[in-house]
């Protein structure tokens, strides 16, 4: 009697449609800058290989190292834009930042259209009087749109370290709670606001983002926190320490492995003296809202198949 031969896993895979898997190139870190009078900075690592999302809010007062000496992250951004801020932050923390994106709260609100408000649990993040300031009586959970989240952060006027923790929690809620809607709505929303963004993301990158968010679905681990370090209130300066270096190496891709090994044996506890002139002073000063915007031309529909971005 003829007996049907059992297929091996390799034979079965060859007989069907191969399943595309993420590659190392699709594990990337993005620096998001929320443009405002006081800019906000958030590092986001999307790692579909490990099914992880890492969110780190970085205080605007973080000290980074420029060619002429130390300066603040917010000053680098104001003088030379988000690309330069990403470059100096990456060098200071010795991590690889693959893309940058500067977006206003108004554009962020538009990008969020089609998705539900973020539900943020403030337990452990705010004191009782601070919750009362927001009108919360017994219920520490807030439902927020991006614009409402911005207003809450401004209203509370928290110290930089606590502000970073709360901002990280808000972004955690945003990226954790609705993965199915986000994988389509987020790339589509960014594409619609492309002419009003300062970014190195292309249409092809947005198509890749859609695939990455598809892999980062249910079961993805989302971790968030503020950047560790030491805040110096007398100078309104946030100084990276050995804890900062250790944290950065554990959460993000290392930019220079040899340099990281050297940094592991050094502890940058003391702020370096100010240079005679900071990079912000040497470069032309300009208001962020007056930066040159990308030309508002129609976004070419190349790369992804028709309808891939909604």
């Amino acid at each position: 009697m003829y007996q049907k031969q059992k297929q091996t896993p390799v034979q079965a895979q060859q007989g069907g449609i191969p399943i595309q898997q993420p590659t190392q190139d699709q594990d990337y870190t993005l620096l998001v800058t929320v443009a405002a009078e006081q800019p906000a900075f958030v590092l986001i690592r999307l790692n579909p290989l490990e099914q992880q999302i890492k969110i780190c809010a970085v205080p605007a007062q973080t000290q980074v190292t420029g060619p002429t000496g130390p300066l603040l992250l917010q000053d680098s951004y104001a003088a030379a834009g988000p690309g330069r801020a990403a470059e100096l932050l990456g060098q200071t923390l010795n991590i690889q930042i693959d893309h940058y994106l500067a977006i206003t709260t108004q554009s962020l609100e538009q990008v969020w259209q089609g998705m539900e408000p973020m539900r943020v649990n403030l337990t452990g993040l705010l004191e009782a009087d601070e919750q009362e300031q927001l009108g919360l009586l017994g219920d520490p959970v807030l439902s927020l749109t991006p614009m409402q989240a911005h207003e809450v952060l401004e209203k509370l006027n928290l110290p930089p370290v606590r502000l970073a923790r709360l901002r990280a929690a808000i972004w955690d809620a945003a990226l954790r709670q609705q993965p199915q809607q986000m994988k389509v709505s987020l790339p589509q929303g960014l594409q619609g606001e492309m002419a009003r963004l300062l970014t190195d993301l292309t249409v092809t990158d947005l198509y890749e983002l859609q695939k990455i968010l598809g892999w980062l679905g249910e079961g993805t681990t989302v971790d968030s926190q503020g950047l560790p370090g030491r805040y110096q209130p007398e100078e309104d300066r946030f100084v990276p320490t050995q804890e900062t270096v250790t944290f950065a190496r554990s959460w993000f891709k290392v930019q220079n492995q040899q340099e990281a090994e050297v940094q592991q044996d050094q502890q940058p506890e003391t702020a370096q003296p100010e240079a005679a002139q900071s990079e912000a002073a040497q470069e032309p000063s300009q208001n962020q809202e007056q930066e040159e915007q990308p030309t508002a031309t129609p976004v070419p529909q190349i790369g992804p198949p028709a309808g891939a971005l909604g």
Side-chain angles (χ1 to χ4, degrees):
M1 180 182 295
Y2 174 73
Q3 184 175 5
K4 185 176 180 180
Q5 186 176 8
K6 184 178 180 180
Q7 283 185 313
T8 66
V10 173
Q11 291 173 329
Q13 184 175 6
Q14 291 176 344
I17 300 175
I19 300 175
Q20 188 178 12
Q21 297 294 327
T23 67
Q24 189 66 46
D25 292 337
Q26 289 159 324
D27 168 12
Y28 73 76
T29 299
L30 173 73
L31 177 65
V32 178
T33 303
V34 181
E37 183 176 349
Q38 174 76 4
F41 301 90
V42 181
L43 282 168
I44 301 173
R45 181 180 180 183
L46 303 174
N47 183 1
L49 292 170
E50 303 293 335
Q51 286 288 288
Q52 293 178 344
I53 297 176
K54 301 285 191 181
I55 304 164
C56 175
V58 181
Q61 301 90 338
T62 298
Q63 177 178 285
V64 294
T65 303
T68 60
L71 71 159
L72 302 188
L73 182 61
Q74 62 187 3
D75 293 338
S76 174
Y77 168 70
R84 184 59 168 162
E87 179 184 5
L88 294 186
L89 182 62
Q91 291 175 1
T92 300
L93 301 181
N94 193 28
I95 62 173
Q96 179 178 326
I97 299 177
D98 303 288
H99 294 288
Y100 63 85
L101 165 67
I103 185 169
T104 65
T105 51
Q106 291 82 5
S107 287
L108 199 54
E109 186 83 1
Q110 290 300 314
V111 169
W112 207 255
Q113 296 296 317
M115 290 183 280
E116 299 175 3
M118 302 162 283
R119 290 181 55 80
V120 185
N121 192 330
L122 301 175
T123 303
L125 294 170
L126 296 181
E127 303 294 337
D129 60 325
E130 294 166 338
Q131 292 188 30
E132 186 177 351
Q133 185 180 348
L134 298 177
L136 301 175
L137 299 175
D139 184 3
V141 178
L142 277 178
S143 293
L144 302 169
T145 67
M147 184 65 73
Q148 291 169 337
H150 173 73
E151 292 170 354
V152 165
L153 291 169
E154 281 202 328
K155 182 178 181 180
L156 288 170
N157 193 28
L158 297 174
V161 175
R162 292 188 58 209
L163 184 66
R165 287 183 57 206
L166 179 55
R167 193 184 307 279
I170 291 173
W171 281 83
D172 184 302
L175 295 177
R176 179 192 297 270
Q177 293 172 1
Q178 42 191 329
Q180 295 306 314
Q181 300 96 313
M182 185 170 295
K183 69 181 181 182
V184 175
S185 297
L186 186 57
Q188 180 181 346
L190 288 172
Q191 186 182 26
E193 292 293 303
M194 185 69 78
R196 287 169 286 278
L197 305 177
L198 290 172
T199 183
D200 63 347
L201 290 170
T202 65
V203 172
T204 303
D205 293 325
L206 294 180
Y207 176 54
E208 287 296 303
L209 177 62
Q210 185 181 35
K211 291 196 295 184
I212 290 169
L213 291 173
W215 285 314
L216 292 169
E218 301 293 340
T220 294
T221 301
V222 182
D223 293 316
S224 62
Q225 75 167 64
L227 185 70
R230 186 179 69 252
Y231 178 60
Q232 298 177 339
E234 65 280 2
E235 298 180 4
D236 193 23
R237 180 181 299 267
F238 186 82
V239 183
T241 64
Q242 181 59 39
E243 184 185 4
T244 315
V245 175
T246 302
F247 164 79
R249 291 187 65 209
S250 65
W251 268 41
F252 301 101
K253 293 177 290 183
V254 177
Q255 188 179 79
N256 186 314
Q257 185 62 40
Q258 184 176 4
E259 181 180 342
E261 292 171 356
V262 173
Q263 287 181 345
Q264 190 174 20
D265 298 326
Q266 298 176 347
Q267 187 166 346
E269 286 291 347
T270 304
Q272 302 176 18
E274 288 288 350
Q277 292 181 333
S278 70
E279 181 183 69
Q282 288 189 357
E283 299 192 46
S285 178
Q286 56 183 333
N287 185 283
Q288 177 60 30
E289 294 184 357
Q290 293 177 345
E291 285 189 0
E292 182 179 354
Q293 299 291 324
T295 305
T297 55
V299 180
Q301 298 297 322
I302 58 175
L309 293 176

